[in-house]
Amino acid sequence: MHLMISDAGVEFVIKFCADLATHEPIDDRERESIKVFCELAPLLRAPFDEHSDTTHVTASAIVTGAPGVVLHLHKRLNMWLQPGGHIDAGESIDQAALREAREETGLQLQHFLGLPRFIHLDVHPGPRGHTHLDVRYLLIASNETFAPAEGESKEVKWFAWDQVLDTAEDGARGAILAAHKIINL
């Protein structure tokens, strides 16, 4: 029997669904993802625990810097995606996005303007029949040299803003557009 970990996700989901009411979706895909998130996530006993249910909340980040946007070639999926992944026990979702991005890129990163900033939501199939409710943040790199952690994809690249949409997987495009809009305010 799997013991449910203490999951701060329940509290997050309640507040996040309320906050999403004022979030302006970047496209129809995000609009649908918001609808699905607010239907599914409140039903989860432990939304941040990847072992509790095949549907769970994940965290990712659009990483930007002087050269543009970072994508990595996902090892199992063989797609160019933004860094991200599962939320560890005791970790907040914005901490998970930062940790995952640091592990997968090796870059020195911080949240945009020093504060966690949710920019995009995407619901998509994950590996092993899972559904990922992916909450995305905007991170800024203070260096440009990659040093992914052991076991992470070594295929990490900077893409210019005007080229990244040609390479990024469909699910990442909306988040990249949302980041670009914020960066260029």
Side-chain angles (χ1 to χ4, degrees):
M1 180 174 130
H2 179 74
L3 295 175
M4 186 174 73
I5 63 169
S6 174
D7 192 316
V10 172
E11 186 178 314
F12 169 82
V13 164
I14 293 166
K15 183 180 180 330
F16 190 60
C17 283
D19 291 346
L20 284 171
T22 59
H23 175 73
E24 186 61 40
I26 196 83
D27 56 20
D28 288 340
R29 180 178 174 132
E30 187 181 21
R31 186 172 287 104
E32 181 63 20
S33 290
I34 290 169
K35 179 178 171 277
V36 171
F37 183 99
C38 290
E39 287 171 359
L40 296 181
L43 303 175
L44 301 172
R45 290 178 315 190
F48 288 178
D49 181 0
E50 68 176 299
H51 304 291
S52 177
D53 196 289
T54 56
T55 298
H56 46 271
V57 178
T58 57
S60 67
I62 299 302
V63 175
T64 65
V69 180
V70 173
L71 297 176
H72 73 111
L73 187 61
H74 194 281
K75 292 185 317 187
R76 288 186 302 274
L77 302 176
N78 199 35
M79 293 187 248
W80 286 98
L81 299 171
Q82 75 284 356
H86 294 104
I87 303 163
D88 289 345
E91 191 174 47
S92 70
I93 191 163
D94 56 280
Q95 290 168 337
L98 189 58
R99 175 189 49 77
E100 285 284 349
R102 285 176 175 158
E103 288 173 0
E104 292 177 358
T105 68
L107 293 170
Q108 297 167 12
L109 301 170
Q110 66 182 7
H111 283 282
F112 182 67
L113 300 177
L115 297 170
R117 178 153 185 183
F118 157 72
I119 62 166
H120 191 260
L121 177 67
D122 189 68
V123 175
H124 57 265
R128 301 179 308 275
H130 286 204
T131 298
H132 288 172
L133 310 175
D134 195 37
V135 179
R136 295 157 173 192
Y137 291 84
L138 178 56
L139 299 178
I140 307 300
S142 57
N143 67 326
E144 298 175 12
T145 305
F146 301 116
E150 188 66 35
E152 299 292 349
S153 171
K154 300 303 178 202
E155 295 291 321
V156 186
K157 290 175 60 175
W158 285 104
F159 291 88
W161 284 103
D162 61 350
Q163 298 172 333
V164 69
L165 295 177
D166 294 335
T167 305
E169 194 56 35
D170 288 346
R173 290 187 185 122
I176 293 165
L177 290 171
H180 191 256
K181 188 174 173 184
I182 292 165
I183 296 287
N184 287 312
L185 285 179

